[in-house]
Amino acid sequence: MALVALCVFSSCRDDDPVVPDDQPDMADNTVFVYMPWSGDSGNLYGFFQDNLEDIRKAIVAQGGLGNTDLLVFTSTAATRGVLMKVEYKGGACVNDTLASFNNAVMGRALNSAGWITYLLNQVEQAAPARSFSMIIGCHGKGWIPASADTEPVSYAKSMGMVRPSGPVTRWFGGETYKTDIATLARGISQSRIGRMQYVLFDDCNMANIETAYELRGCTRYMVSCPTEIMGYGMPYEHLWKELSSQEPDYARVCDEFISFYTNYTYNGYPYPYGTISVIDCSQTERMAQVMREINRSGALPAVPEDNLQSMDGYSPSIFFDMGDYVEQMAKGHPQLLERFRQQLRLLVPYKGNTASYYTNIDGRSVCPIRTYSGITISDPSVNLDIADALKATSYYVATH
């Protein structure tokens, strides 16, 4: 029961041909960029087009795609979407449309695992490769399930405090269709691809232990942001060389991201705010074992919310820095705490942050980052809107 606010729509019927039957040569890596409908309010379509243009610029600058294939799913409305292959020809990028989708043909339920599996099977058929990577661009609210009522207390206030000079983030919108993280995981696992080299969330608040644990069976790495990310999203022109590699240099991905956002401006004003991390999902089971021992060790002090590093604009907060929380909660158990520290280094091998983060949720605020582990946890949250849903997550069940 986990959520990223991904807006999707149904595919054509099962027997409808989507891609040609002839099999192309196998590439080293296929990158699939998934940019579904992001909602009527807070729509990100313009940002998506800028993202794709930045990717095309990077491809042209490096003289082509090499032995990498690039497929993109994007939508112009809640009822329309296309799957296309981006190719490099004559010194420029061209789009080869493989399929068009119309929501009027109800072949599958919206935001279902069946839809994700179906679409990924078309990707695998059109661009077979030795490894696959997936970039998801939309709105995100971490592990929070689609059914949860999680609008922040200050939502109405923030809607009335939009300053023309302030940038938006990828938090607003996506209210019509949402996909649970567990659904995404099943969709990937049940496809012929089965497991990704990485899943990159170009969405807000996705770098949390609950999401990483849910995805442990369908991707090796998860690249994401613990806080909100600006509407501009990932700086793909700078990141593409690594993201298109069969074995990305994740340290460089983090460095390039932070370098870009350290110097980011919007309407002529500096907005030097960004966070990023690379989570090794294969380490989540061992982290869950350590956390289970800590949670069951007894005599754990209650950690006041105000003492913790919050990583969001919700009221009360939902996402807290995991390292900060465990350091304070387990300080009376030095051996367990040291085991946690060692496992945290394995779980989050690469990360980066600016001195502060920016939130659009509570009326455009800048919040200092005094400690940063690159991953959040919701255990200490007193937000009643998510209390029951949190206890139903796979991670919580495994650690309590």
Side-chain angles (χ1 to χ4, degrees):
M1 292 181 62
L3 170 142
V4 56
L6 304 176
C7 317
V8 301
F9 43 88
S10 66
S11 70
C12 302
R13 295 184 301 271
D14 288 351
D15 56 349
D16 284 344
V18 176
V19 295
D21 290 333
D22 55 309
Q23 288 285 350
D25 294 335
M26 183 172 289
D28 287 335
N29 186 42
T30 289
V31 179
F32 175 46
V33 180
Y34 185 44
M35 293 176 165
W37 181 244
S38 56
D40 295 318
S41 63
N43 187 270
L44 297 171
Y45 181 75
F47 290 116
F48 293 164
Q49 294 308 300
D50 291 341
N51 294 155
L52 295 176
E53 179 58 26
D54 282 349
I55 291 175
R56 287 190 286 264
K57 288 178 181 177
I59 293 171
V60 171
Q62 67 185 24
L65 283 157
N67 201 24
T68 295
D69 283 333
L70 171 61
L71 269 68
V72 176
F73 176 89
T74 189
S75 57
T76 56
T79 57
R80 295 189 301 275
V82 295
L83 177 66
M84 58 188 178
K85 186 174 185 179
V86 178
E87 299 181 315
Y88 180 76
K89 296 180 179 178
C93 289
V94 295
N95 297 330
D96 178 14
T97 299
L98 303 177
S100 297
F101 299 89
N102 192 324
N103 192 33
V105 183
M106 292 294 290
R108 289 169 181 79
L110 299 173
N111 57 18
S112 67
W115 156 256
I116 295 168
T117 296
Y118 178 74
L119 187 59
L120 289 176
N121 283 343
Q122 310 315 309
V123 170
E124 189 272 341
Q125 183 177 344
R130 295 174 180 84
S131 67
F132 290 82
S133 307
M134 187 173 184
I135 295 172
I136 301 175
C138 205
H139 293 288
K141 293 201 291 185
W143 60 268
I144 303 172
S147 58
D149 181 13
T150 54
E151 300 299 345
V153 170
S154 55
Y155 177 81
K157 180 183 73 171
S158 67
M159 289 297 285
M161 292 180 61
V162 176
R163 297 197 297 267
S165 61
V168 299
T169 67
R170 295 194 174 204
W171 183 85
F172 287 114
E175 67 284 343
T176 305
Y177 305 121
K178 301 173 183 178
T179 303
D180 286 343
I181 288 296
T183 299
L184 173 66
R186 286 197 304 273
I188 296 173
S189 297
Q190 293 170 4
S191 72
R192 289 194 296 269
I193 293 172
R195 184 176 176 84
M196 300 290 178
Q197 153 72 9
Y198 68 77
V199 171
L200 183 152
F201 288 107
D202 198 352
D203 321 291
C204 296
N205 297 123
M206 295 306 300
N208 47 79
I209 184 61
E210 295 86 358
T211 295
Y213 188 80
E214 196 70 56
L215 294 180
R216 67 195 185 283
C218 63
T219 186
R220 172 63 191 276
Y221 293 101
M222 187 174 85
V223 184
S224 49
C225 303
T227 61
E228 290 169 68
I229 184 172
M230 297 294 186
Y232 184 92
M234 294 284 173
Y236 292 102
E237 190 172 359
H238 303 275
L239 303 183
W240 178 250
K241 180 179 178 180
E242 298 303 333
L243 295 180
S244 61
S245 171
Q246 191 177 10
E247 296 182 359
D249 183 340
Y250 292 110
R252 185 173 179 182
V253 169
C254 292
D255 290 344
E256 291 285 354
F257 178 94
I258 295 302
S259 176
F260 176 85
Y261 273 108
T262 297
N263 299 286
Y264 181 71
T265 61
Y266 182 85
N267 283 348
Y269 292 92
Y271 283 87
Y273 313 114
T275 62
I276 189 171
S277 64
V278 177
I279 298 170
D280 185 345
C281 294
S282 70
Q283 297 292 334
T284 57
E285 285 280 17
R286 291 177 182 173
M287 176 58 83
Q289 293 173 7
V290 174
M291 290 302 297
R292 182 166 57 248
E293 290 187 45
I294 291 175
N295 288 329
R296 296 177 180 179
S297 61
L300 296 174
V303 183
E305 181 177 326
D306 291 344
N307 292 357
L308 292 171
Q309 175 69 64
S310 172
M311 303 300 281
D312 63 38
Y314 291 96
S315 181
S317 291
I318 296 175
F319 303 105
F320 296 90
D321 185 86
M322 185 176 185
D324 188 35
Y325 170 62
V326 178
E327 286 285 341
Q328 297 190 50
M329 179 188 64
K331 59 186 177 181
H333 300 270
Q335 291 183 336
L336 283 175
L337 185 55
E338 183 55 32
R339 284 180 56 198
F340 167 79
R341 291 167 179 163
Q342 293 174 3
Q343 188 57 36
L344 182 60
R345 288 191 288 269
L346 296 174
L347 179 67
V348 189
Y350 311 104
K351 62 183 184 293
N353 66 283
T354 54
S356 302
Y357 70 90
Y358 174 85
T359 175
N360 200 354
I361 294 177
D362 67 349
R364 306 196 190 285
S365 297
V366 174
C367 308
I369 299 176
R370 59 174 177 78
T371 182
Y372 181 76
S373 65
I375 189 168
T376 65
I377 187 171
S378 296
D379 275 13
S381 178
V382 296
N383 191 313
L384 297 180
D385 289 339
I386 55 93
D388 291 339
L390 174 63
K391 293 178 181 178
T393 61
S394 297
Y395 169 78
Y396 192 95
V397 171
T399 57
H400 290 78

